[in-house]
């Protein structure tokens, strides 16, 4: 039986909040109403994805360009599938093979894409803040598909969508994010949506990857703690999110060795047994199985990792729909 | 300022019972019948029609909910884009007689969108349209098969159906210039 409406929600759809942003650059400035609008729209998109013909024509005539200066499998494929499922036209560009190799600047590239007719540009860049620069220099909507070590808002929103589907209201729930928090744009964007949802967040990892400066910054936010002990952190946790161990960090000497990292920070069955019964295990991918996460946990009953990927399409459809139809004030 | 309701709860209930009888009569029974309500207010009406049919026929007719947001012809023109909610069609509609249900029939554009949405779920043998209120002013060649009440209106007027499942009361209001009683 369908729930007709949330008793807290506005009585008429006309009173529902509308999306007015040109760009989606991070989750830190999103209001709870905006987050709720994305998640509710994504529920409708998920239903579309589960149909025999999982495609509609709503965004026909809308052009979405994906512009990736860094490699990606799931984010780019997910956005492309999402845009096509809504009937938009999609053009995929990567830095290699484009005029970027001839020395074209980011601003010139973005202006060129706008002139070609891009309504929305999904952009991934190795430099933190690059999508902000792009957004200031075009009328096209910019969606941040990951910038440096800064933000990955669509990942955080699909993570939140997945958590809510399984754990319901996150207020008071304990979420542990473990691994290379320092370099993780996923951890950062998740932190904002989780705190906005009322969850208690524990950031965990070796001191070199979860530095004290970060600890002092986030402790001011309340409901966020930092620890180097995963066994303590995982006790009683409702959700455990493992981050990818970025192997290039090891070469920089930020961890003593992979073996020591595994011993201290791998999410495995022994540790997971200390979490709440029914706790969820998540990972933004791509996984290094046997390093930050044990294979039996990655593919075990607690894992919602594949569901995260499937939900990613629905959440990105919701974001594309809201941004392509936005009424800007 | 809320005017007196054009129809009250008893009239709404009687009208729905009559529509239920008409639907079954037109279909010569409940065989192959699926009742699909448009979200938000067509869906509770569809459930009540099915409940009425269950009372006098003793048969539970399948009920579905259809969201038309993604199929509207004004998605990129409206002041606010329509909210998107999950549709729920519980049975195959291939070969079925689908009765679409909505609260108010006005321009016909919602029904045009609903036909597109419905046909993405299968190929019904026939599609009928039941509405609680027909207020006229069609912009597309769409005609209802079952009408609860015809209310002649001026374009500037607004017709609002309130249902207890959504709004806490059963009532039909006509706002704007005084509506002529049919």
């Amino acid at each position: 039986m369908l729930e007709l409406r949330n008793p807290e929600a506005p009585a008429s759809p006309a009173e529902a909040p509308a999306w007015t942003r040109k760009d989606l650059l991070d989750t830190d400035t999103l209001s709870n109403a905006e987050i709720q609008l994305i998640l509710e729209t994504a529920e409708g998109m998920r239903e579309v994805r589960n149909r025999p013909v999982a495609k509609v024509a709503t965004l026909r005539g809308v052009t979405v360009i994906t512009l990736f200066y860094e490699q990606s499998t799931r984010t780019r494929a997910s956005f492309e599938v999402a845009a096509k499922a809504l009937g938009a036209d999609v053009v995929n560009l990567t830095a290699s093979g484009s005029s970027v190799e001839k020395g074209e600047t980011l601003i010139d590239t973005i202006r060129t894409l706008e002139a070609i007719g891009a309504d929305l540009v999904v952009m991934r860049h190795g430099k933190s803040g690059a999508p902000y620069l792009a957004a200031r220099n075009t009328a096209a909507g910019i969606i941040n598909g990951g910038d440096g070590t800064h933000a990955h808002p669509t990942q955080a929103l699909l993570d939140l969508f997945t958590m809510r589907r399984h754990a319901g209201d996150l207020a008071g729930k304990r979420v542990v994010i473990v691994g290379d928090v320092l370099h993780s744009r996923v951890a950062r964007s998740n932190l904002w949506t989780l705190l906005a949802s009322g969850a208690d967040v524990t950031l965990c990892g070796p001191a070199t990857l979860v530095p004290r400066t970060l600890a002092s910054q986030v402790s001011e936010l309340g409901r966020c703690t930092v620890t180097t002990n995963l066994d303590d952190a995982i006790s009683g946790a409702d959700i455990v999110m493992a981050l990818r161990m970025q192997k290039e960090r090891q070469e920089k000497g930020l961890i003593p060795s992979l073996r020591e990292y595994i011993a201290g920070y791998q999410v495995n069955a022994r540790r997971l047994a200390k979490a709440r019964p029914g706790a969820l295990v998540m990972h933004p991918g791509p996984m290094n199985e046997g390093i930050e996460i044990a294979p039996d946990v990655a593919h075990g009953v607690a894992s919602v990792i594949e569901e995260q990927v499937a939900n990613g399409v629905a959440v990105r459809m919701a974001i594309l729909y809201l941004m392509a139809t936005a009424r800007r004030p | 300022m809320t005017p007196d309701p054009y129809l009250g709860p008893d009239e709404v209930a009687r009208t729905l019972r009559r529509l239920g009888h008409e639907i079954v009569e037109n279909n010569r029974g409940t065989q192959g019948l699926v009742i699909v309500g448009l979200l938000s207010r067509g869906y509770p009406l569809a459930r009540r029609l099915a409940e009425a049919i269950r009372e006098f026929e003793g048969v539970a007719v399948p009920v579905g909910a259809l969201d038309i947001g993604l199929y509207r012809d004004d998605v990129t023109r409206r002041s606010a884009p329509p909210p998107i909610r999950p549709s729920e069609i519980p049975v195959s509609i291939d070969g079925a007689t689908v009765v679409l249900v909505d609260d108010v029939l006005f321009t016909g554009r919602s029904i045009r969108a609903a036909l597109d949405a419905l046909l993405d779920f299968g190929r019904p043998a026939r599609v009928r349209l039941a509405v609680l209120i027909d207020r006229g002013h069609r912009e597309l060649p769409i005609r209802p098969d079952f009408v609860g009440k015809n209310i002649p209106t001026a374009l500037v007027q607004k017709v609002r159906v309130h249902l207890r499942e959504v709004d806490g009361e059963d009532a039909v209001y006509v706002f704007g210039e005084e509506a002529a009683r049919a």
Side-chain angles (χ1 to χ4, degrees), chain A residues 62-140:
Chain A
V62 172
T63 300
V64 177
I65 297 187
T66 67
L67 175 64
F68 276 60
Y69 290 86
E70 270 189 345
Q71 68 279 29
S72 163
T73 304
R74 64 207 71 221
T75 303
R76 202 182 70 175
S78 178
F79 265 112
E80 182 173 353
V81 169
K84 287 181 172 167
L86 286 169
D89 295 313
V90 189
V91 177
N92 294 308
L93 294 178
T94 52
S96 60
S98 75
S99 292
V100 172
E101 287 193 330
K102 299 179 189 167
E104 187 175 59
T105 68
L106 173 60
I107 291 174
D108 284 344
T109 302
I110 287 291
R111 285 183 179 157
T112 300
L113 298 184
E114 183 188 338
I116 287 171
D119 298 291
L120 297 172
V121 177
V122 182
M123 179 179 159
R124 171 168 288 189
H125 201 283
K127 290 276 186 282
S128 299
Y132 290 73
L133 177 67
R136 280 196 300 273
N137 286 282
T138 178

Side-chain angles (χ1 to χ4, degrees), chain B residues 18-177:
Chain B
R18 174 174 57 78
L19 285 178
H21 281 288
E22 284 183 21
I23 288 166
V24 173
E25 183 185 21
N26 178 273
N27 193 57
R28 296 176 186 182
T30 56
Q31 192 64 33
L33 205 55
V34 180
I35 302 183
V36 174
L38 273 63
L39 288 171
S40 333
R41 286 176 183 75
Y43 175 56
L45 289 174
R47 281 191 11 210
R48 289 200 215 172
L49 285 171
E51 178 58 26
I53 291 170
R54 199 186 58 77
E55 273 171 21
F56 57 74
E57 291 285 317
V59 177
V61 174
V63 177
L66 194 63
D67 185 69
I68 61 162
L70 293 169
Y71 297 86
R72 297 190 66 108
D73 57 11
D74 56 357
V75 166
T76 54
R77 292 183 186 88
R78 279 161 60 110
S79 56
I84 306 302
R85 296 150 296 195
S87 294
E88 188 176 288
I89 308 294
V91 293
S92 167
I93 58 167
D94 288 343
T97 297
V98 174
V99 179
L100 283 175
V101 182
D102 204 1
D103 55 348
V104 180
L105 180 59
F106 183 22
T107 61
R109 290 179 189 268
S110 295
I111 302 305
R112 198 282 310 158
L115 287 168
D116 279 355
L118 185 71
L119 297 180
D120 274 1
F121 287 89
R123 188 177 185 280
R126 57 196 71 78
V127 181
R128 305 284 188 238
L129 175 60
V131 296
L132 184 63
I133 305 296
D134 183 353
R135 63 163 293 186
H137 303 288
R138 222 74 77 232
E139 293 171 1
L140 295 173
I142 280 170
R143 163 189 68 73
D145 300 282
F146 311 103
V147 181
K149 201 89 177 169
N150 284 291
I151 304 184
T153 57
L155 263 176
V156 294
Q157 290 179 308
K158 287 185 162 53
V159 178
R160 289 280 177 270
V161 172
H162 283 193
L163 297 173
R164 57 174 188 269
E165 296 92 330
V166 186
D167 313 285
E169 62 160 354
D170 281 350
V172 177
Y173 295 97
V174 179
F175 296 96
E177 288 167 38

Side-chain angles (χ1 to χ4, degrees), chain A residues 99-184:
Chain A
S99 292
V100 172
E101 287 193 330
K102 299 179 189 167
E104 187 175 59
T105 68
L106 173 60
I107 291 174
D108 284 344
T109 302
I110 287 291
R111 285 183 179 157
T112 300
L113 298 184
E114 183 188 338
I116 287 171
D119 298 291
L120 297 172
V121 177
V122 182
M123 179 179 159
R124 171 168 288 189
H125 201 283
K127 290 276 186 282
S128 299
Y132 290 73
L133 177 67
R136 280 196 300 273
N137 286 282
T138 178
I142 301 288
I143 300 172
N144 185 356
D147 64 325
T149 60
H150 173 247
H152 195 350
T154 63
Q155 178 73 41
L157 289 162
L158 75 88
D159 288 341
L160 185 66
F161 182 78
T162 306
M163 291 181 212
R164 289 256 187 101
R165 283 194 67 84
H166 286 273
D169 185 4
L170 296 182
K173 295 270 163 59
R174 282 204 46 225
V175 182
V176 178
I177 301 178
V178 53
D180 184 359
V181 175
L182 178 63
H183 299 96
S184 176

Side-chain angles (χ1 to χ4, degrees), chain A residues 292-312:
Chain A
E292 70 267 10
I293 189 164
D296 58 330
V297 169
H299 303 286
V301 290
S303 169
V304 292
I305 295 169
E306 277 180 31
E307 199 186 314
Q308 285 173 270
V309 179
N311 287 341

Side-chain angles (χ1 to χ4, degrees), chain A residues 17-329:
Chain A
W19 187 265
T20 55
R21 289 170 188 268
K22 178 175 91 74
D23 310 297
L24 178 63
L25 301 174
D26 195 2
T27 53
D28 57 349
T29 60
L30 291 180
S31 68
N32 274 319
E34 287 173 312
I35 292 172
Q36 193 62 27
L37 179 61
I38 293 169
L39 299 187
E40 280 173 9
T41 306
E43 284 291 346
M45 298 302 182
R46 188 174 183 274
E47 183 266 310
V48 171
R49 290 302 294 165
N50 288 334
R51 293 179 192 172
V53 180
K55 189 177 167 74
V56 292
T58 316
L59 295 190
R60 62 184 186 275
V62 172
T63 300
V64 177
I65 297 187
T66 67
L67 175 64
F68 276 60
Y69 290 86
E70 270 189 345
Q71 68 279 29
S72 163
T73 304
R74 64 207 71 221
T75 303
R76 202 182 70 175
S78 178
F79 265 112
E80 182 173 353
V81 169
K84 287 181 172 167
L86 286 169
D89 295 313
V90 189
V91 177
N92 294 308
L93 294 178
T94 52
S96 60
S98 75
S99 292
V100 172
E101 287 193 330
K102 299 179 189 167
E104 187 175 59
T105 68
L106 173 60
I107 291 174
D108 284 344
T109 302
I110 287 291
R111 285 183 179 157
T112 300
L113 298 184
E114 183 188 338
I116 287 171
D119 298 291
L120 297 172
V121 177
V122 182
M123 179 179 159
R124 171 168 288 189
H125 201 283
K127 290 276 186 282
S128 299
Y132 290 73
L133 177 67
R136 280 196 300 273
N137 286 282
T138 178
I142 301 288
I143 300 172
N144 185 356
D147 64 325
T149 60
H150 173 247
H152 195 350
T154 63
Q155 178 73 41
L157 289 162
L158 75 88
D159 288 341
L160 185 66
F161 182 78
T162 306
M163 291 181 212
R164 289 256 187 101
R165 283 194 67 84
H166 286 273
D169 185 4
L170 296 182
K173 295 270 163 59
R174 282 204 46 225
V175 182
V176 178
I177 301 178
V178 53
D180 184 359
V181 175
L182 178 63
H183 299 96
S184 176
R185 54 197 179 204
V186 174
R188 236 167 286 274
S189 286
N190 260 291
L191 183 58
W192 310 130
T193 51
L194 287 170
L195 292 177
S197 305
D200 295 315
V201 183
T202 304
L203 303 175
C204 180
T208 47
L209 296 179
V210 190
R212 285 220 187 123
T213 52
L214 183 62
S216 62
Q217 282 167 29
V218 294
S219 64
E220 290 166 19
L221 300 167
R223 298 199 322 278
C224 177
T225 51
V226 171
T227 175
T228 56
N229 188 321
L230 179 57
D231 292 277
D232 288 349
I234 214 167
S235 293
D238 296 286
I239 295 164
V240 182
M241 182 185 294
L243 301 173
R244 184 169 71 89
M245 183 63 227
Q246 305 185 15
K247 291 201 181 103
E248 57 273 23
R249 311 297 170 213
Q250 190 195 357
E251 288 148 22
K252 287 183 182 168
L254 289 171
I255 58 169
S257 74
L258 274 182
R259 282 187 56 167
E260 285 192 50
Y261 183 82
I262 291 166
Y265 298 99
Q266 186 184 70
V267 177
N268 56 31
R270 178 183 65 76
R271 290 195 167 112
L272 195 59
K274 297 177 184 171
R276 282 262 169 81
L280 304 179
V281 172
M282 306 180 72
H283 191 296
M287 286 189 283
N288 299 302
E289 289 184 32
I291 299 179
E292 70 267 10
I293 189 164
D296 58 330
V297 169
H299 303 286
V301 290
S303 169
V304 292
I305 295 169
E306 277 180 31
E307 199 186 314
Q308 285 173 270
V309 179
N311 287 341
V313 176
V315 170
R316 289 178 175 119
M317 284 171 77
I319 291 164
L320 291 170
Y321 168 76
L322 291 171
M323 292 186 62
T325 58
R327 287 294 158 283
R328 293 167 200 164

